[in-house]
Amino acid sequence: MSEGHISDITLLIDDSIREDLGTSVENTCNREPLISVIVPAYNEASNIEKLFKGLKKELEVLQCYEVILVDDGSSDGTADLARRVASRLGLRASIIRLDVNSGKPRALLEGFSRSLGMYVGVIDADLQYDPKDLVAMVRNAIDHGYDAVFGERIDPSRDLVRKLVSLGAKILAKLLIRKAWKARDPTTEIYVIRREKLERCLGAIRPRIKLGLEILVRCRLNRVSWIPVTIRPREGEESKFKFIWIPSYLWQILELTDYFTLRYIVGALAALPISILLWNYIGILAPFVGAAVKWIFIWRDIGLGSTLAVKALATAIKIAEVAAWPVTALIELILIHLLRGTRI
Ligand SMILES: Nc1nc2c(ncn2[C@@H]2O[C@H](COP(=O)(O)OP(=O)(O)OP(=O)(O)O)[C@@H](O)[C@H]2O)c(=O)[nH]1
Ligand SMILES: [Mg+2]
């Protein structure tokens, strides 16, 4: 990636906790790699061998590729093992290890910032996706000139609760985010994007739980395609899915939603119970905290300056209302005097 964008992203992760374990084989093709495949990995040691074999077999047909595995503070030696396996297999791979677990989205952003390929692809380390699908996506992008190709996940093995959670997440994104309306799988985790397009929007992408959705919404993608990918049941290491991800997903949706009014209403509705709950603790300050909650929702749409200006105007109107009370009372009194004795 170009220097400017590298600095944007690397700022997210302190240099002292990042270690580049090097590249397994000479990573330079005669030209830029066709694809950089970013693999986020957290405690995936038992899957590395099979993962790398699969990637090598499929990516070799593209000749010029690079794999960037970002180990995110694993405690099972994922990074060391990955380096050894990559060099044994002759896989063109760079292994980056972050000492502190920073979460999948930050790991992906770190990988993006290191990528050199014409296309950047993302695939999980847990063997649930077939690298063949990634190759099909690049081919699709090249053949038809797509800016990005996303995988539409078909997951026959998921349990009912996860299926329902996933369906709810998709519906919510489609309903609230205009750009996600036509997306066949807005929460997808496997995709390929033209690096040139990614570079332009990297500064706007936040490290949120569904980075594919961030890319879909925040990057200017003129032509996008979807191809079906079947998810295999997880083998080896256990799932890292946590239900705590659900509120952070909801937050991401609220950030990405086009519906400003909805955000305002959610903020306004949250303000009242918050004020009531806090009343016992901070008394008269509670309504101010409640109001602040409402305004935080709006702040990101119009900026801090405008938020303060609107708030100042609204407060001025309220003060004027209160100040006008004696005047209105006086007018009422005069009217009562004038009308005394008459009945309409
Ligand atoms: N770098 C990094 N990778 C992570 C982290 N958490 C999960 N991953 C990786 O992200 C990928 C997806 O994780 P999974 O645990 O399979 O999560 P999931 O696919 O949403 O959940 P399942 O459907 O249950 O498999 C795997 O390659 C993990 O190793 C993390 O904190 N940092
Ligand atoms: Mg998985």
Side-chain angles (χ1 to χ4, degrees), residues 41-43 70-76 96-102:
Y42 180 56
N43 288 341
V70 188
D71 170 7
D72 200 10
S74 298
S75 53
D76 67 349
I96 294 159
R97 179 175 155 81
L98 310 173
D99 279 347
V100 177
N101 182 262
S102 320

Side-chain angles (χ1 to χ4, degrees), residues 40 42 44 72 101 107 124-126 128 158 162 234 239-240:
Y42 180 56
E44 297 285 359
D72 200 10
N101 182 262
D124 284 352
D126 59 2
Q128 291 197 274
R158 262 198 178 169
R162 289 287 303 276
R234 207 169 208 286
S239 167
K240 275 83 193 178

Side-chain angles (χ1 to χ4, degrees), residues 331-344:
I331 294 170
E332 268 178 19
L333 204 61
I334 294 168
L335 284 173
I336 289 166
H337 275 293
L338 287 176
L339 296 172
R340 192 188 285 166
T342 54
R343 287 191 186 275
I344 301 171

